[in-house]
Amino acid sequence: MADPAAQTTIKVVCRFRPLNKSEVARGDKYIPTFQGDDCVQIAGKPYHFDRVFQSNTTQVQFYNAVAQQIVRDVLGGYNGTIFAYGQTSSGKTHTMEGDLHDPEMMGIIPRIVQDIFNYIYSMDENLEFHIKVSYFEIYLDKIKDCLDVSKINLSVHEDKNRVPYVKGCTERFVSTPEEVMDAIDEGKNNRHVAVTNMNEHSSRSHSIFLINIKQENSQTGQKFTGKLYLVDLAGSEKVGKTGAEGTVLDEAKMINKSLSSLGNVISALAEGSVSYVPYRDSKMTRILQDSLGGNCRTTMVICCSPSAFNDAETRSTLMFGQSISLNDM
Ligand code: ADP
Ligand code: MG
């Protein structure tokens, strides 16, 4: 196994989407200016990240720069998590999924799937791989299984090694890339059927896809496991104080709370805090506990709109990204 030392395990990268058609039609100003490949400025204020990706970055360029190495590490037995954070319509799903069945426009999840199987096919025959995937979402702090619509309120338990997991969540064993993509299509379809407006719903729920890879060498008996969580977070936008009530207000409060818990956990990890990391403050951070920080690979993708119309949200998104990468050296 590669030596994980000397490598920052938490990376924060930022990606700007292009102006969309209606923003162009409206004549919105394109507000970011870029400096080098790690800094973006809004109204003269610079924000630094491990990498900043401009609006013309292609899906394959983004994959190669951000996700490819994590896949290698997971195949080497490390755990990892990739998050997409940002307001609704900032490009989170484009980044994580993209157009799932289009070779050029597919996002990082389908590319990861391809990469994993290409690796497996290239390995020697003594290595046996067991891959299983799960797909669930967290909505109003309830965990719903996207591969089994009857499971609408799963709970987090700890296994005998005190590693938290979602109890009873469907684990689909897969042996080809097509089977993984089928599971994703099925899960997405189930999510669609359950709600009247999928865009609205997806902006208020965290979507989590887990790939678990176990390798066993039949000659030496050596075994190891790597887990990769791929998380498309709920929209980070602030809900206006006026008008929001009932479910909308509850949703907003939950999202706010879970995103700030996530921020707290990641910044504690980025600071190298070993004594206290507040994993237990939210379901999501509990579930991800053994795949964040420490000996894991964690990448946060900060997704931004470039339109002047979204100025305030974009700054607040960039601030969130800065707050979790403050101590990056
Ligand atoms: P979110 O998941 O954050 O709500 P989406 O990923 O659905 O946002 O993006 C909103 C729209 O913008 C979609 O139509 C998407 O295809 C488009 N889009 C997002 N990012 C990019 C990009 N980098 N290049 C081209 N189009 C993009
Ligand atoms: Mg989305």
Side-chain angles (χ1 to χ4, degrees):
M1 254 182 247
D3 177 16
Q7 192 176 345
T8 318
T9 56
I10 297 183
K11 287 207 171 84
V12 184
V13 305
C14 168
R15 184 182 196 182
F16 274 81
R17 66 162 170 81
L19 287 171
N20 64 35
K21 281 205 189 89
S22 54
E23 289 164 345
V24 171
R26 197 165 58 191
D28 286 9
K29 192 167 179 272
Y30 183 94
I31 58 171
T33 56
F34 299 92
Q35 290 182 326
D37 67 0
D38 62 359
C39 178
V40 57
Q41 283 198 11
I42 305 280
K45 180 170 166 33
Y47 302 84
H48 294 270
F49 297 96
D50 289 296
R51 278 286 295 273
V52 173
F53 295 90
Q54 302 193 26
S55 305
N56 60 359
T57 307
T58 64
Q59 295 287 55
V60 65
Q61 285 169 339
F62 188 82
Y63 177 77
N64 290 340
V66 172
Q68 201 169 44
Q69 185 57 44
I70 299 182
V71 173
R72 305 249 159 88
D73 293 339
V74 170
L75 287 162
Y78 293 101
N79 292 345
T81 306
I82 304 176
F83 295 97
Y85 177 99
Q87 74 176 114
T88 296
S89 206
S90 59
K92 297 182 297 297
T93 305
H94 177 83
T95 294
M96 299 306 285
E97 297 179 0
D99 190 339
L100 287 169
H101 301 284
D102 179 314
E104 203 180 315
M105 295 310 287
M106 59 171 63
I108 62 179
I109 292 177
R111 288 175 202 275
I112 285 169
V113 172
Q114 286 182 345
D115 237 9
I116 289 173
F117 282 94
N118 286 338
Y119 174 86
I120 292 175
Y121 298 148
S122 76
M123 291 311 282
D124 100 64
E125 289 173 8
N126 292 322
L127 269 186
E128 234 178 72
F129 290 85
H130 304 273
I131 303 183
K132 56 187 183 183
V133 299
S134 296
Y135 188 3
F136 53 95
E137 63 175 8
I138 304 178
Y139 173 69
L140 281 175
D141 217 35
K142 289 198 171 69
I143 304 170
K144 295 169 191 276
D145 191 341
C146 301
L147 297 177
D148 181 347
V149 290
S150 72
K151 298 174 176 170
I152 53 169
N153 193 3
L154 296 170
S155 52
V156 185
H157 282 237
E158 286 183 4
D159 70 12
K160 56 183 188 307
N161 300 316
R162 307 210 56 199
V163 176
Y165 69 103
V166 180
K167 192 175 180 204
C169 192
T170 303
E171 294 184 313
R172 180 77 49 87
F173 285 85
V174 288
S175 51
T176 63
E178 291 74 28
E179 285 174 7
V180 185
M181 297 313 293
D182 286 349
I184 295 172
D185 289 336
E186 184 185 326
K188 279 194 75 131
N189 215 31
N190 285 339
R191 292 179 79 200
H192 271 282
V193 169
V195 296
T196 41
N197 183 336
M198 180 58 184
N199 280 340
E200 220 172 87
H201 176 75
S202 72
S203 75
R204 292 178 192 150
S205 61
H206 306 301
S207 152
I208 303 180
F209 189 68
L210 166 63
I211 307 177
N212 189 307
I213 305 169
K214 191 165 121 194
Q215 300 178 47
E216 196 170 346
N217 189 314
S218 57
Q219 274 189 333
T220 62
Q222 196 197 21
K223 282 185 208 176
F224 57 90
T225 305
K227 264 199 291 197
L228 180 59
Y229 281 100
L230 300 157
V231 185
D232 189 340
L233 292 165
S236 58
E237 59 273 14
K238 311 273 174 300
V239 168
K241 286 192 179 67
T242 49
E245 50 185 312
T247 311
V248 175
L249 189 60
D250 291 343
E251 286 171 345
K253 281 187 194 154
M254 284 296 183
I255 293 166
N256 211 298
K257 192 164 161 265
S258 63
L259 291 177
S260 58
S261 301
L262 176 63
N264 293 339
V265 164
I266 295 184
S267 55
L269 291 168
E271 278 167 22
S273 168
V274 276
S275 53
Y276 184 67
V277 180
Y279 292 112
R280 298 191 68 85
D281 286 2
S282 84
K283 276 189 188 159
M284 184 163 50
T285 50
R286 276 186 74 198
I287 296 167
L288 298 176
Q289 181 163 344
D290 74 328
S291 299
L292 290 177
N295 208 10
C296 307
R297 304 292 181 257
T298 308
T299 294
M300 176 69 74
V301 184
I302 297 293
C303 298
C304 297
S305 157
S307 162
F309 189 77
N310 298 125
D311 186 10
E313 283 300 338
T314 299
R315 289 168 198 249
S316 120
T317 297
L318 292 167
M319 289 301 291
F320 176 87
Q322 295 277 267
S323 74
I324 59 174
S325 62
L326 262 188
N327 289 40
D328 262 1
M329 273 153 260

